[in-house]
Every structure is written in structure tokens, then in C-alpha cells.
Amino acid sequence: MSTFLAFGEIMLRLSPPGRELLLQTPRLDVWVAGAEANVAGALARLGHDVAFASVVPDNDLGRAALTYLRGAGVATAGIQLRGDRMGLYFVTSGAGLRATEVIYDRAGSSFAEMPSDAWDWDTLLHGVDRLHLSGITPALGPVPAASAIAAAQAAAARGIAVSFDGNWRGKLWERWDSDPRGILTQLVAEADLLFGNHRDIALLLGRDFGGEGEGRRREAVDAAFAAFPKLQTIASTARHVEHVDLHRLSARVDTRTESAQTEEVVLAGIVDRIGGGDAFAAGVLHALRRGGDSAEAARTGLALAALKHSLPGDASLFRQADIDAYLAGGLDVRR
């Protein structure tokens, strides 16, 4: 079995209990987190051979992250123990008409400070058939950006497929003298699979897309396909937020010749939306790696994303049986 390799920062997420404000009471819940790690763990739980490339500090925090990934079934030989600092971020969950708020504390982390020439891509990419990256890594600064670009180019040079999730993080890009369009364009240029919507494509191409709904989305993906010759598939979701606990979500997968669009599902009583996009990416990748077509990939991605909204923390912890039960319908107790 060929290996799926994800590359990015693994972090700790800290959140106040329930729907409290940050430090309303002197307690924080902690989860291991990170977009690429979420995708890696979800795919491993779904039965895929998955490895992760990263760096964590050689202390209790870093070793806890390694233990977590190993428990999910992710190979961690590509994770170096180096530096002194674990990346952190704080999430205060919203409620009603109060939005969820994120505070980043990632500057100077072991991953962010890792020199771009310190990654052994010959070893890390051995036996790998797909490398997965996201736009969060290059948003961390010029050195992580150079590392992400080197990773994508190393995979492409070896004939390894590259998937890229846009994962726009404006707060991170704004912290340094960045060129998001120039950097992200270099990464998407090496990808055959992009997770992103018309807004991501508008950023990449420096243009807006008119119209509404499916027409606008197809116009955007056609423009992306024209601009990036290696790109073959674009997967996206459309989310309508009524209030923090009630969203409507649909999924779409476009290729150069066809489009697959799901019906909209209502997500009521949301426990935690953070990580939903990572779950969607994992579901799409899961279906495609099993030989599914665009329609199956859209359905599976939406299923895993919808299920993730029922869990606190960043990670999707679901197995194939959970996806099957969701797709079969019915919310009564399963006895």
C-alpha cells in the first residue's frame, strides 16, 4: 500500500469549557490540533497508510502530540524532535449570535523556526503516492513558506501527486511582509487536487467572479483549470450561517469535464465547527483513494464534515461505519 504523507505544524488547541469566554473560569480544555494533522489522523482512522512530516519540541508537549498521532494510526518517523516551543492556539466557541474567536500563539514555534533546508525529502517521500499541504504553513512566515514550496516541488519532481487545501488564515499572513498570492500560486501550480472555493481562486488569479451559486463556482474552477495545467480536481463546500448553532452546508467536486454537487444539509445543534473543513478534505481524499468518482467524493466529504460538527476539538474521530450510517439516514438510537 502506498503512503499518504501530510506536512505541516501539529499544535495544541486550548479552549474554555463549554461556551464560556476565555478564562471566564480558570480552566482550559486541551486538544492536539493542526489542519494537516487533522487530515492525517482522519484518513488513518479510515484505514489508510498515513505518515506525517513535522517537527515538535523535545518536551512533554511534543511527545504528547506524537503519542496522539500514533494512537490515531499515523506513522511519526518523519516528525523531528527539535527546538523548544509548541505552537498553540486558543478557541473561544461562539453561541447564538456571538461568533467563535481564534487567538494564535505560534510565532517562534519549533515548526516555524525549522530551516527550509533541514527537511530530507528523499527520505520523507520514499514510498509516498500523495503529499498533502495547506495554506496555513506558508502563512506562518518566509521560512515555512519556503519549506512548503520545496516540499511541493520535491513531490512533483518525483511524480508524486500533491493536494493543497487553501485554508486562508488572514491573521497569520498579516503578521509579516507576505505575498500570499505569489506564494500560494507556486504551491497550487504543483497540485492536482485543490480544496478551495471561488474566493480562494479569486485570490490566486487576482480577479472576481460574478453571478451566484453553481454558475459562479463553475466559472471559478474553469478559470483555475486554465491557469494551472496540473490541476485536475477542485473540491469545495458552501456554508450558510444562520447562527452559531445552525448552519447549512453543501459540497461540490469539479473536474475538468464534470461537476458533482450535493444537496444542502442542515447542521443544527453544532458542537464545534473548527476542523470541519479538514474533515471534508479527509472524506474527499478517502473516497478518491478508494477509487470513488466525483459524486462519491462529494458525498463522503460532506458526510465526514457534517459528523465532525458533532464533536468538540479539531479532529474527526469517525470510522467508515459512521459514514455509512450517516449516508443511510435515520437519527434514532442505534441499538
Side-chain angles (χ1 to χ4, degrees):
M1 183 185 295
S2 296
T3 300
F4 175 97
L5 177 68
F7 172 61
E9 183 170 29
I10 185 168
M11 304 184 299
L12 295 180
R13 166 183 162 180
L14 298 92
S15 292
R19 301 296 182 89
E20 292 185 10
L21 299 177
L22 190 62
L23 298 182
Q24 181 177 335
T25 55
R27 196 186 97 191
L28 293 170
D29 295 327
V30 182
W31 291 276
V32 176
E36 302 86 354
N38 291 340
V39 173
L43 281 174
R45 289 184 178 91
L46 290 167
H48 298 273
D49 187 2
V50 178
F52 197 68
S54 191
V55 57
V56 295
D58 187 9
N59 57 30
D60 288 345
L61 301 180
R63 286 188 287 272
L66 292 179
T67 298
Y68 166 81
L69 283 177
R70 289 169 183 152
V74 177
T76 60
I79 301 179
Q80 300 182 48
L81 292 170
R82 180 169 171 162
D84 301 314
R85 187 164 191 276
M86 193 82 178
L88 307 175
Y89 83 114
F90 299 82
V91 177
T92 301
S93 295
L97 299 179
R98 173 169 57 86
T100 295
E101 181 71 20
V102 172
I103 298 173
Y104 293 110
D105 184 17
R106 305 174 66 164
S109 70
S110 293
F111 182 86
E113 295 295 311
M114 182 73 160
S116 60
D117 60 359
W119 302 99
D120 181 0
W121 292 113
D122 283 332
T123 299
L124 291 169
L125 292 170
H126 180 70
V128 170
D129 70 342
R130 177 171 291 281
L131 171 69
H132 182 73
L133 305 162
S134 94
I136 297 176
T137 296
L140 294 174
V143 175
S147 297
I149 292 169
Q153 293 176 343
R158 292 161 175 79
I160 297 169
V162 176
S163 51
F164 182 77
D165 192 336
N167 271 333
W168 175 256
R169 298 292 185 269
K171 288 184 177 181
L172 297 177
W173 286 106
E174 291 167 3
R175 292 185 176 185
W176 59 289
D177 185 19
S178 61
D179 176 18
R181 182 182 174 192
I183 292 168
L184 296 175
T185 295
Q186 293 182 69
L187 289 162
V188 177
E190 305 297 349
D192 73 301
L193 171 57
L194 171 66
F195 294 96
N197 59 24
H198 64 280
R199 288 182 292 273
D200 297 293
I201 296 170
L203 171 66
L204 290 169
L205 302 184
R207 54 170 288 195
D208 292 326
F209 297 96
E212 296 181 355
E214 294 185 31
R216 178 173 59 184
R217 296 170 80 176
R218 187 66 214 190
E219 179 188 1
V221 300
D222 283 339
F225 287 138
F228 300 103
K230 291 184 180 180
L231 199 56
Q232 301 299 318
T233 305
I234 299 176
S236 63
T237 59
R239 181 188 298 269
H240 297 91
V241 178
E242 302 292 341
H243 55 72
V244 167
D245 300 317
L246 180 63
H247 298 183
R248 293 178 284 118
L249 190 69
S250 63
R252 181 183 178 96
V253 174
D254 289 276
T255 69
R256 289 179 175 266
T257 59
E258 64 178 5
S259 300
Q261 172 80 41
T262 71
E263 296 293 326
E264 198 171 56
V265 299
V266 176
L267 303 176
I270 293 171
V271 174
D272 194 337
R273 68 165 286 181
I274 304 295
D278 304 327
F280 170 71
V284 169
L285 287 160
H286 171 54
L288 294 177
R289 290 180 74 79
R290 297 203 310 171
D293 60 14
S294 298
E296 182 179 349
R299 287 194 302 270
T300 306
L302 181 62
L304 206 59
L307 289 169
K308 165 60 197 72
H309 285 69
S310 71
L311 289 180
D314 277 28
S316 167
L317 306 179
F318 298 100
R319 311 284 181 174
Q320 182 62 49
D322 301 304
I323 295 174
D324 293 340
Y326 171 89
L327 293 174
L331 295 176
D332 200 359
V333 177
R334 300 200 295 269
R335 305 180 189 273

